Amino acid sequence: MTESTSGLNRVLRAAAARVPEPRAAHRFLNRLTHPLRMDDYSSLIYPLWSSRELRGEVVTVRREAEDTVTLVIKPGWGATPHYQPGQYLGIGVLLDGRWTWRSYSLTSAPTTGRGEYSVTVKALPEGLLSNHIVGTVEPGTIVRLAAPAGDFHLPTPTPPKLMFVTAGSGITPVMGMLRSLDRRSVTEPFPDVVHVHSVRERDDALFYDELRALEKTQPGYVLHLRVTSEEGRIDSRQMSALVPDWSERPTWACGPNAMLDELDEHFDATDRDDLHVERFTVNRDAGASGGTVTFGSTGKTVELDGATTILEGGEKVGVQMPFGCRMGICQTCVVGLDEGHVRDLRNGTDHGPGERIQTCVSVALGDVELKL
Ligand SMILES: Cc1cc2nc3c(=O)[nH]c(=O)nc-3n(C[C@H](O)[C@H](O)[C@H](O)COP(=O)(O)OP(=O)(O)OC[C@H]3O[C@@H](n4cnc5c(N)ncnc54)[C@H](O)[C@@H]3O)c2cc1C
Ligand code: FES
């Protein structure tokens, strides 16, 4: 910081200290700094003061397991305390000079005040951001935020009987739902909830003590822990033995794709339409060839393999395309395809010229040109 900016910083800090609340401070400082953008100064004083983007400060990093941490994030201006338990939060972290974005399910229960968000991140083998978060992020880190979103949440009113099926880190959105049901049980009854949770090893179970404690305080809640290294993966026959009335329970499921695919098949085969699924990852092995992707009028191109999405490819060469969930959920990333073909990693569907594609789940099948 130069002498003149640090002098200005002192003046602004003193001025900001005299105004009662951030929004008023923002208006006040805007007048003071006109015609320059107030954000350029306000973020020097207090990094969460930005009117251009949602920001948050990591206030706590709690280690849940060797490869998993919970971040408690204090949101800055403009962030909403209102969200549906089970929804995800977009988080951007500065990594090697570039803001890198991923989605994380909210594990916190919404509060009526300004509240704090919490997310629980498991480091994936060779995962770019998850390893950075688990290994490096400390309290005081400033992150960018995208508002909570997603359809994976309980309806209102809450069904009187329901089931959760989770595995591994897929417990996170359900944790947000359980904490919220627990908090709301002061004013409304806790529903009849059966929760089947699978972990590879007994010690892998995240939030285990809290879940067992919930069983004691909420008689409506029953946890079945399945340790797959000892008992194998649960199949639908075993599920029927464990939860005889599961055909009567609308179900929310999150975990590895293989588990979710099996549940999908079972619900399809039994003509049920009350399965709600959240997927964290796509299968990248879709047999696509890859190719050269041209990003429309930007003139930029990138050579991609058949497992790197077009959104990721654009980011590699500095093409900013819109995105939200990065998992084919929100439709924010839809763009037109001018030339060539792409494959959707979720279901193997191929798309050709003139179609609109979701860049976050599409990989190149040969050379591709986007309409941008
Ligand atoms: C709605 C939603 C909610 C989520 N909630 C959570 C949550 O609560 N907790 C949580 O831990 N995660 C959650 N996720 C997953 C999270 O968003 C990230 O995807 C995850 O942290 C991995 O990010 P990464 O940058 O570490 O991995 P990436 O670098 O994005 O890679 C992801 C995986 O793909 C592989 N991969 C990447 N590129 C290639 C390639 N070109 N070829 C082959 N393999 C490749 C990597 O090795 C890695 O295993 C959620 C995802 C969604 C969509
Ligand atoms: S970013 Fe949400 S569907 Fe692509």
Side-chain angles (χ1 to χ4, degrees):
M1 203 182 294
T2 65
E3 208 173 298
S4 62
T5 56
S6 73
L8 180 60
N9 195 340
R10 268 199 307 279
V11 172
L12 291 175
R13 267 177 196 274
R18 287 202 297 274
V19 290
E21 51 98 11
R23 212 163 286 280
H26 203 269
R27 277 197 303 272
F28 173 80
L29 292 170
N30 243 335
R31 283 202 297 275
L32 199 66
T33 59
H34 182 78
L36 296 176
R37 291 206 62 139
M38 202 282 287
D39 265 31
D40 298 335
Y41 299 115
S42 64
S43 56
L44 291 175
I45 305 169
Y46 186 48
L48 296 188
W49 285 6
S50 170
S51 57
R52 272 183 293 197
E53 66 207 8
L54 292 183
R55 292 186 188 169
E57 178 181 356
V58 175
V59 288
T60 307
V61 179
R62 195 167 48 243
R63 193 152 288 274
E64 307 284 359
E66 201 183 330
D67 60 355
T68 307
V69 295
T70 291
L71 305 182
V72 180
I73 298 170
K74 177 176 148 195
W77 281 351
T80 175
H82 305 293
Y83 56 88
Q84 300 279 353
Q87 288 191 308
Y88 61 84
L89 182 70
I91 299 184
V93 179
L94 195 56
L95 174 56
D96 295 334
R98 184 178 288 174
W99 289 94
T100 303
W101 287 83
R102 298 289 183 267
S103 304
Y104 291 101
S105 301
L106 286 152
T107 45
S108 42
T111 56
T112 44
R114 274 177 66 79
E116 290 173 340
Y117 299 129
S118 77
V119 296
T120 299
V121 180
K122 180 182 167 74
L124 287 192
E126 297 177 29
L128 180 65
L129 193 64
S130 58
N131 280 287
H132 175 75
I133 289 176
V134 171
T136 316
V137 164
E138 289 181 340
T141 304
I142 299 299
V143 294
R144 291 183 177 177
L145 301 174
D151 295 334
F152 190 73
H153 56 78
L154 296 174
T156 307
T158 310
K161 254 171 110 157
L162 60 103
M163 181 154 98
F164 294 131
V165 183
T166 57
S169 60
I171 197 171
T172 51
V174 163
M175 208 55 214
M177 293 183 197
L178 286 170
R179 284 172 171 162
S180 172
L181 290 172
D182 188 36
R183 178 168 293 185
R184 289 192 336 224
S185 69
V186 180
T187 53
E188 57 190 81
F190 194 97
D192 171 349
V193 178
V194 176
H195 184 181
V196 180
H197 180 51
S198 299
V199 288
R200 191 162 302 138
E201 304 292 343
R202 200 165 287 275
D203 289 348
D204 293 346
L206 296 173
F207 311 117
Y208 182 74
D209 293 343
E210 186 177 342
L211 294 173
R212 286 296 182 213
L214 188 65
E215 264 191 325
K216 293 205 176 87
T217 54
Q218 297 291 358
Y221 175 69
V222 175
L223 172 69
H224 296 292
L225 185 73
R226 176 91 177 184
V227 181
T228 57
S229 62
E230 297 167 11
E231 306 161 276
R233 283 221 318 258
I234 192 162
D235 61 23
S236 55
R237 195 182 46 78
Q238 293 165 332
M239 192 73 95
S240 300
L242 195 63
V243 191
D245 63 350
W246 75 301
S247 62
E248 297 160 24
R249 293 177 178 272
T251 299
W252 281 261
C254 183
N257 286 332
M259 179 191 96
L260 299 177
D261 291 344
E262 274 170 30
L263 275 176
D264 251 343
E265 276 168 32
H266 175 84
F267 276 66
D268 268 357
T270 50
D271 275 340
R272 288 182 60 185
D273 61 0
D274 53 357
L275 173 66
H276 312 266
V277 160
E278 186 82 304
R279 290 175 192 265
F280 285 177
T281 55
V282 281
N283 174 13
R284 297 206 175 233
D285 186 12
S289 58
T292 304
V293 178
T294 305
F295 296 92
S297 57
T298 71
K300 292 191 174 170
T301 62
V302 65
E303 191 69 37
L304 294 184
D305 61 26
T308 304
T309 66
I310 290 181
L311 178 64
E312 291 164 342
E315 289 171 343
K316 277 182 203 275
V317 291
V319 177
Q320 299 295 332
M321 289 185 287
F323 66 85
C325 65
R326 306 177 73 94
M327 193 50 57
I329 304 168
C330 70
Q331 303 281 332
T332 309
C333 63
V334 171
V335 301
L337 185 58
D338 248 350
E339 298 289 340
H341 289 79
V342 301
R343 180 162 294 163
D344 187 320
L345 287 172
R346 292 168 303 169
N347 48 26
T349 306
D350 294 345
H351 297 281
E355 289 191 72
R356 292 174 66 71
I357 61 160
Q358 287 165 270
T359 59
C360 72
V361 287
S362 296
V363 290
L365 286 174
D367 296 346
V368 165
E369 188 160 343
L370 299 176
K371 199 184 287 236
L372 283 183

